[in-house]
Amino acid sequence: AKRALLNEFPDNCHTEIDIGVNQVARDAGDNRINQIVSSCSRPVPRPSGRPREPTRGPGKCGKITSAFAAEDIAVNIVNDMWRSEGERCGYATSVFERDAKRALLNEFPDNCHTEIDIGVNQVARDAGDNRINQIVSSCSRPVPRPSGRPRAPTGCSSRDYDGGVRMTERLRVTCGSLDRDYLKIQQELAVSRANDCVWKGAIDKFDEIKRSCRNEESFKGYGNKSGKNGKDLEIE
């Protein structure tokens, strides 16, 4: 898989834009590789005796026997709830955790009787809990504001370069979703058929925000959104 990624997204490009885009793509692929390998490193317990149906609750026992598939479903449940509420940090820091845990328990109950169902459902709930914690944690810290604005390099008009800077600012990049926001910037640039100077301004502004996030010592972990008092903070 790594060989295929490197073949599709080589590391020997010469422009900053190509280098950055390919690095993001390879990182995303590496994350997926690690998820798959990790899920296969956990032995799924074998059922002892004949499976029995649960005696209470609307949950599902025996419907999903793959720990890997159960993890994906659990994370999607949490993400869907988060998106359905507009990814509002006000919701994340109030009742989101309670609602999401209830949904996970409903889909992956803790009252199954076979070892395999108990194990798979526990793995799924753990994956969902981790995603909940990421979201809640990301909404508990403010986004640092970079000082100033990048200046147009020699050979680029200030109008084009500043247009790229403003585009990145408009997309509201957050420390908790740098990779996703970087892809959004590239998509926006591609759709608008931006010239090299616009690209340069947009990527320089993103790099400035990324450096500010990394220099903030209080940032730990990785989330999906950053905000304060229920409202997202926009990078200026």
Side-chain angles (χ1 to χ4, degrees):
K2 285 180 177 288
R3 185 181 303 140
L5 289 172
L6 189 60
N7 183 59
E8 185 69 22
F9 304 102
D11 58 0
N12 60 342
C13 297
H14 301 293
T15 68
E16 291 184 10
I17 293 173
D18 291 339
I19 292 172
V21 170
N22 284 10
Q23 184 62 57
V24 169
R26 292 196 304 273
D27 289 346
D30 286 343
N31 288 338
R32 187 57 179 152
I33 291 169
N34 292 336
Q35 287 179 341
I36 294 172
V37 173
S38 176
S39 69
C40 288
S41 301
R42 292 191 300 266
V44 178
R46 295 181 176 276
S48 58
R50 186 175 180 177
R52 293 177 292 172
E53 290 299 317
T55 57
R56 62 177 175 82
K60 303 167 180 63
C61 294
K63 181 178 179 180
I64 302 172
T65 58
S66 165
F68 176 63
E71 281 183 319
D72 276 351
I73 293 172
V75 171
N76 286 337
I77 288 173
V78 176
N79 286 337
D80 287 345
M81 292 186 67
W82 177 227
R83 284 191 292 266
S84 69
E85 292 293 331
E87 298 186 355
R88 295 181 297 104
C89 280
Y91 175 61
T93 55
S94 56
V95 297
F96 170 65
E97 183 175 1
R98 181 201 66 191
D99 293 347
K101 284 181 177 288
R102 182 182 300 155
L104 289 172
L105 188 61
N106 183 61
E107 185 70 18
F108 302 101
D110 59 0
N111 63 331
C112 299
H113 299 294
T114 67
E115 290 183 8
I116 191 168
D117 291 341
I118 293 171
V120 168
N121 283 11
Q122 183 65 57
V123 166
R125 292 196 305 272
D126 288 346
D129 286 344
N130 287 338
R131 184 65 187 129
I132 292 170
N133 291 337
Q134 287 178 341
I135 293 171
V136 173
S137 175
S138 70
C139 281
S140 301
R141 56 180 184 260
V143 177
R145 295 178 178 270
S147 58
R149 170 178 286 189
R151 295 182 179 180
T154 303
C156 280
S157 72
S158 296
R159 179 179 180 181
D160 287 346
Y161 186 83
D162 290 345
V165 172
R166 287 192 298 272
M167 191 209 71
T168 296
E169 292 173 341
R170 188 176 67 251
L171 291 177
R172 301 176 66 182
V173 176
T174 63
C175 293
S177 58
L178 289 174
D179 287 347
R180 187 184 65 182
D181 291 337
Y182 188 62
L183 292 176
K184 284 183 179 179
I185 291 171
Q186 296 173 66
Q187 291 171 353
E188 183 83 7
L189 289 166
V191 169
S192 63
R193 297 183 179 179
N195 62 34
D196 290 344
C197 291
V198 176
W199 271 85
K200 179 68 174 172
I203 299 304
D204 282 356
K205 183 61 180 178
F206 174 82
D207 288 341
E208 180 186 273
I209 296 169
K210 183 168 65 174
R211 285 193 299 270
S212 297
C213 291
R214 288 178 176 175
N215 290 337
E216 187 68 24
E217 294 181 355
S218 63
F219 286 177
K220 295 178 182 179
Y222 184 82
N224 195 33
K225 202 77 170 173
S226 296
K228 185 177 181 181
N229 296 331
K231 296 182 178 180
D232 297 323
L233 297 177
E234 183 175 357
I235 299 294
E236 295 181 351

